[in-house]
Amino acid sequence: MSDRTADRRSQWWIAHAAPRPDGLPGVWVLLWFPVLLLVLFALAVVLEVSGTSSGAWWRTFGEGADPNLLAGTPRPIRSDEWFVQGSWLVSQTAQGFPAVNHVFPGGMDATVMNDSPSWDWSTIFRPHLWGSLFLGLDHGMAWRWWLPAVLLLSSVHAFVVTMLPTRVLLGPVLALVLMFQPLVQWWWMPIMTLAVAVAFAVMTAVVWGQRSSTRAGVVVPAVVAGYLVVMLGMSIYLPFILAVAYPAAAFVVGYLLCRWRNDGVPGKQVLLRMVPLGVAAVVSAAVMAVWLWTRRETVEALLGTVYPGQRLTPTGEADTDYLVGLLSGPFQRALLHGNFEGLGTNESTASVPFLLSLYLAVPLVWIVWSRYRKRRTVDWLVLTLLAVNALVLAFLFIPGWDDLARLLLLDRSQFVRLRAAFLPLLVVTVVVLVERLEVMGRRAPWWAALSGGAVVVLSFGWVWQKLDEAGSPAVPSRAAIAVAALLTVTVVAFARRYVSVGATTLLVASLAVGAGVNPLYQGVFDLRTDTAAGRALTEIAERDTDAAWVGVGTPASMAAVFSAGVPGYSGVQTYPSEEMWDRIDPDGRYEDLWNRLAHVQWRWGSGPPVPTTPRVDVLQVTFDPCEMFAQRHVDYVIADAVPPSTACLRALESYEQGQITHTIYEVVPPAGG
C-alpha cells in the first residue's frame, strides 16, 4: 500500500470517526454497527433462523435428530417462550390474528401480555410482531426473536459511543457483553430485551438533548426513546420495567446535576433542553393511557386474579442463599449443564449478570474523592450510580422500610427480576469509569484497582465455599475459576485504563457463561402441521367449525387444542373468561383456584369438573365425558391418556408419533340417554 493511499485512508478515518464539535459521535460512528445488525437481521429472517426452544416438542413427537435444529440445545425450562408465548403465536396465526383470541368461550384479549400478533392499532407500536402478520409463522418467529436483539445491541452501542465517541469498537463489545449475560439469555423474551433497550435509549436521548448543537440531534433521540417506551409499556410487565428504570433514572439525575453543578450550564437551560424528551414522554403517556383505557376490562381482570394479581414484595426478605445466587456470576456456565442446585430453583431463576458495578465500586469511590479533593466538586453522576446499587441491595437485604419501598414501587419487582437492575449498571459503570478517567487524564491507583479485583476474588471464594458446603454440582469448576480470573483482570484493567484489555476479557467471560443457552433453530415446531394428531384435529375442525374441544392428559394435548385455534377449553389463559368458567363451575365454588393466569389442563375423572393447582400457574381440571358439562359444551376430545371408561366416548382414530400416542374421541350421549 502506497503512502498516498495510507494517507487518504487516515484522512477518511479522521473525518468520519472524529467526534463532532459538540463532543458527540459522528453519523458513521453512531450507525455503522446498527446497519451491520440490520443486514444480519434480514439474513436470519430470510433463513427463518431464531433461538426458539420450540424444538423441545421434538423430544415428545420426534425420532432421531431434529432436522430443524442447527446448533445448540432446546431448553424445556424456557417454557414461557416456546410453550406459552409460542402457543399464543401459533393460535393467533391459526385464527388470522384477531384482537380477541376465540379459543376459550368469551375470548381473551390478545393485545395484552404474551406479545401476540394481532390486527389492532396498538401493533403500530410493536414492530417485533410485524413479521408474523406479513411474513408467516416461521419468518415471523425469526423477526420476533432478532428485532429486539437489534434494538438492544444498537441502544447499548449508541449510549457507549455517545459517552465515549472515540471508542468506536467499545460500543459493539459492551453491547455483546450485555446480550450474553446469563440473565438476558435465560429470560430472553421481548419483556426482557426491550426493557434493557429502552433504558439505554432514554439515557442516550438525555445526553444528546443536553449536548447536541443541532435540532435533529435533540429531537430524533427523544422521538426514538418515546416510541420505544410505548413499545415496552404495552408488555405491561412491571418487574423488568422497574428493575431497569432505577439505574436509568439514577444516570439521568446524576448526569443532569453534573451539567448544572459541575459543567456550569444554567439550570434553566438544562431544563429547557429536556423539553423535547419531556414532550415525547407526555405523548408516550397519552398513547399508553388510551391503550389502557380501551383495555381496562382486561387490565382489571388481570389485576383481580389470585395469581399474578398485584404481587407485593416486602423489604429485606432475601437470605444467604439468594446472596450466593446473586454473586454466582463466575459459576453461571454450570447452568448450561443443568447444575443449578444451590444457585436457584431452576436455570432461569439461578441466572444472574456479572455484578461489575459492585466490583468497580472502590475505583468509583476513589474518583469521587479525588475530584472533590482537587476541584471541590461533587461528582453527582458517580454518586447516583453508587446510590442505586445501595438502594437495590438495601431492598433485598434490609427489612423494615416497606412504606418507602412502596412509594418507590420497589415492592412490585420480585427479587429474582430485580437482578435485571445490574444489567444497565454493568455497562453504565464501565462507561462512566472510563470517561471520568479520560477526563482526569489519570489511572486509578494500584491500590484501588487491586481492591476492586479483590472484591471479585473474595466474593468468588465465598460463593465457592457455600456451594461446596451445600454439595452443589456447580463445584468444583475449572470454568468458574477461569471466568473469575477474567473478571479480576477486567476490573483491574478498566480501573487502570487499559480499556481494550478490560473489554476483551469481559467479552470472553460473558461468552463463556452465556453463549449456548439458546439454540439456533429453523422455523417453529407447529403442532398443527408437524404432528399427525394436530393435522387430524385441524381437518375435523374445518368440517365441524362450531365444535368445542378439550385436551386430556399431558400439556401436549392442551397445546394441541390451543395452537390449532379451535373453540375449546384447553390452553394458556392470561385471565379467566367468565363465560367459560360459568360453564365449568357455575356456582363459582372453585373461583379462588381458576381465577389466575394458568395453563388449563384436563385429566380424566368422574362427576362435575374439579380444578386443582399442582403449581401456581397450572390448573388441572377433571373431565367426565358423561357429566353435564361435557355433554352440553364439549364435542371432541384429544387425549394422550387412556380413559378409565369409554362410556360417552367414540374413538375416531389414534396417532402414534415419537414418544406419544394421541387418540381423538367424539363425545356422545350416555347409553340409553
Side-chain angles (χ1 to χ4, degrees):
M1 182 173 62
S2 67
D3 292 341
R4 181 176 297 178
T5 301
D7 184 59
R8 281 201 301 268
R9 292 185 177 180
S10 177
Q11 291 177 356
W12 182 93
W13 175 260
I14 292 173
H16 288 81
R20 305 183 333 176
D22 56 15
L24 292 168
V27 174
W28 182 85
V29 172
L30 195 64
L31 296 183
W32 75 268
F33 186 54
V35 169
L36 175 61
L37 292 174
L38 287 174
V39 172
L40 297 175
F41 165 72
L43 181 62
V45 172
V46 169
L47 297 177
E48 304 176 347
V49 174
S50 73
T52 179
S53 284
S54 67
W57 284 121
W58 186 263
R59 302 184 181 187
T60 300
F61 293 99
E63 295 180 358
D66 185 346
N68 294 321
L69 180 61
L70 305 179
T73 304
R75 303 291 179 179
I77 188 61
R78 287 189 30 78
S79 57
D80 281 352
E81 180 270 315
W82 64 270
F83 188 59
V84 177
Q85 294 196 354
S87 294
W88 267 91
L89 176 62
V90 178
S91 186
Q92 282 292 100
T93 302
Q95 294 188 13
F97 309 109
V100 176
N101 186 283
H102 296 290
V103 170
F104 292 157
M108 282 185 296
D109 194 330
T111 67
V112 179
M113 294 189 70
N114 297 313
D115 278 302
S116 303
S118 64
W119 292 111
D120 183 76
W121 68 267
S122 62
T123 307
I124 296 171
F125 297 96
R126 310 177 95 168
H128 54 300
L129 306 180
W130 297 349
S132 298
L133 297 175
F134 296 103
L135 302 177
L137 181 62
D138 293 332
H139 293 292
M141 172 58 83
W143 182 290
R144 183 180 188 274
W145 185 274
W146 295 116
L147 184 62
V150 171
L151 294 174
L152 184 152
L153 293 168
S154 297
S155 64
V156 175
H157 164 76
F159 172 79
V160 174
V161 297
T162 293
M163 295 291 290
L164 299 167
T166 61
R167 299 282 184 177
V168 179
L169 297 179
L170 185 60
V173 170
L174 290 183
L176 291 171
V177 164
L178 195 61
M179 189 176 83
F180 282 102
Q181 292 304 298
L183 183 65
V184 175
Q185 291 293 311
W186 286 103
W187 288 87
W188 187 279
M189 287 186 294
I191 57 174
M192 162 61 81
T193 48
L194 292 178
V196 177
V198 168
F200 282 97
V202 170
M203 291 187 289
T204 303
V206 168
V207 178
W208 276 80
Q210 291 297 313
R211 293 169 55 182
S212 177
S213 58
T214 66
R215 183 174 298 177
V218 175
V219 173
V220 172
V223 171
V224 171
Y227 179 85
L228 291 178
V229 165
V230 176
M231 186 179 176
L232 174 63
M234 287 183 177
S235 74
I236 67 168
Y237 194 74
L238 274 179
F240 282 144
I241 294 175
L242 291 171
V244 301
Y246 298 118
F251 174 87
V252 171
V253 171
Y255 186 82
L256 295 179
L257 284 173
C258 283
R259 291 286 290 173
W260 174 39
R261 305 300 298 172
N262 299 355
D263 299 344
V265 181
K268 183 177 180 180
Q269 184 177 340
V270 170
L271 293 177
L272 284 175
R273 281 184 162 268
M274 288 292 289
V275 169
L277 191 59
V279 171
V282 170
V283 173
S284 299
V287 173
M288 284 300 303
V290 171
W291 184 75
L292 289 170
W293 176 255
T294 56
R295 289 148 180 81
R296 58 190 180 279
E297 293 182 359
T298 301
V299 174
E300 290 171 359
L302 280 168
L303 294 177
T305 55
V306 175
Y307 170 85
Q310 301 187 52
R311 289 180 288 179
L312 301 178
T313 305
T315 56
E317 290 201 339
D319 55 14
T320 301
D321 291 339
Y322 182 89
L323 183 59
V324 169
L326 186 64
L327 296 173
S328 67
F331 295 90
Q332 291 287 291
R333 187 172 179 81
L335 304 184
L336 296 173
H337 310 293
N339 298 331
F340 54 82
E341 290 85 353
L343 302 177
T345 54
N346 56 51
E347 294 91 336
S348 296
T349 60
S351 60
V352 294
F354 292 146
L355 303 188
L356 220 62
S357 59
L358 300 182
Y359 301 153
L360 290 170
V362 174
L364 287 176
V365 170
W366 172 82
I367 287 175
V368 173
W369 170 245
S370 180
R371 296 190 75 183
Y372 182 78
R373 184 180 59 180
K374 184 176 181 180
R375 300 166 55 184
R376 285 296 185 266
T377 58
V378 176
D379 195 326
W380 295 103
L381 178 53
V382 176
L383 280 180
T384 54
L385 293 178
L386 291 170
V388 78
N389 278 280
L391 177 67
V392 172
L393 293 175
F395 178 71
L396 295 174
F397 298 105
I398 300 178
W401 53 289
D402 291 356
D403 291 340
L404 178 58
R406 187 167 298 113
L407 182 65
L408 297 173
L409 300 180
L410 274 164
D411 60 347
R412 296 184 180 274
S413 184
Q414 294 88 45
F415 285 165
V416 171
R417 277 71 165 177
L418 194 57
R419 293 172 175 178
F422 293 103
L423 290 169
L425 282 171
L426 189 160
V427 172
V428 173
T429 300
V430 169
V431 169
V432 171
L433 175 71
V434 172
E435 190 267 344
R436 290 299 194 252
L437 291 175
E438 289 186 348
V439 169
M440 295 167 66
R442 299 182 62 183
R443 307 180 193 275
W446 276 108
W447 67 264
L450 292 175
S451 295
V455 174
V456 180
V457 174
L458 291 174
S459 64
F460 173 75
W462 182 76
V463 172
W464 182 294
Q465 178 188 358
K466 291 296 182 181
L467 292 177
D468 189 46
E469 290 174 355
S472 171
V475 294
S477 173
R478 294 180 180 178
I481 294 173
V483 172
L486 288 169
L487 290 177
T488 304
V489 173
T490 295
V491 170
V492 175
F494 278 131
R496 293 293 297 170
R497 241 175 83 199
Y498 299 120
V499 179
S500 298
V501 175
T504 301
T505 52
L506 181 58
L507 178 59
V508 172
S510 301
L511 293 173
V513 297
V517 170
N518 293 299
L520 288 178
Y521 200 80
Q522 189 168 36
V524 177
F525 194 99
D526 186 349
L527 296 181
R528 301 173 304 159
T529 58
D530 293 335
T531 67
R535 291 191 293 271
L537 188 159
T538 302
E539 290 175 3
I540 295 172
E542 288 174 351
R543 296 194 304 267
D544 196 352
T545 56
D546 295 328
W549 292 74
V550 161
V552 178
T554 69
S557 296
M558 179 198 81
V561 173
F562 194 69
S563 296
V566 299
Y569 298 86
S570 298
V572 182
Q573 66 174 28
T574 51
Y575 58 91
S577 162
E578 291 185 10
E579 181 178 336
M580 168 175 158
W581 287 102
D582 280 346
R583 297 179 183 180
I584 299 173
D585 182 25
D587 297 327
R589 179 181 178 184
Y590 301 105
E591 183 175 355
D592 287 345
L593 295 177
W594 51 256
N595 183 22
R596 67 184 61 229
L597 181 155
H599 304 226
V600 182
Q601 304 171 3
W602 295 79
R603 56 191 178 88
W604 299 115
S606 61
V610 176
T612 56
T613 53
R615 295 205 316 266
V616 69
D617 61 347
V618 173
L619 272 172
Q620 288 186 347
V621 192
T622 58
F623 183 77
D624 181 347
C626 294
E627 196 270 333
M628 182 174 61
F629 163 73
Q631 288 293 306
R632 287 185 177 180
H633 302 297
V634 180
D635 300 287
Y636 295 97
V637 176
I638 180 170
D640 56 70
V642 178
S645 168
T646 57
C648 304
L649 293 173
R650 182 167 68 90
L652 300 181
E653 191 64 72
S654 292
Y655 306 90
E656 183 177 355
Q657 184 173 350
Q659 308 301 313
I660 197 168
T661 299
H662 268 124
T663 301
I664 295 180
Y665 301 92
E666 184 179 7
V667 176
V668 296

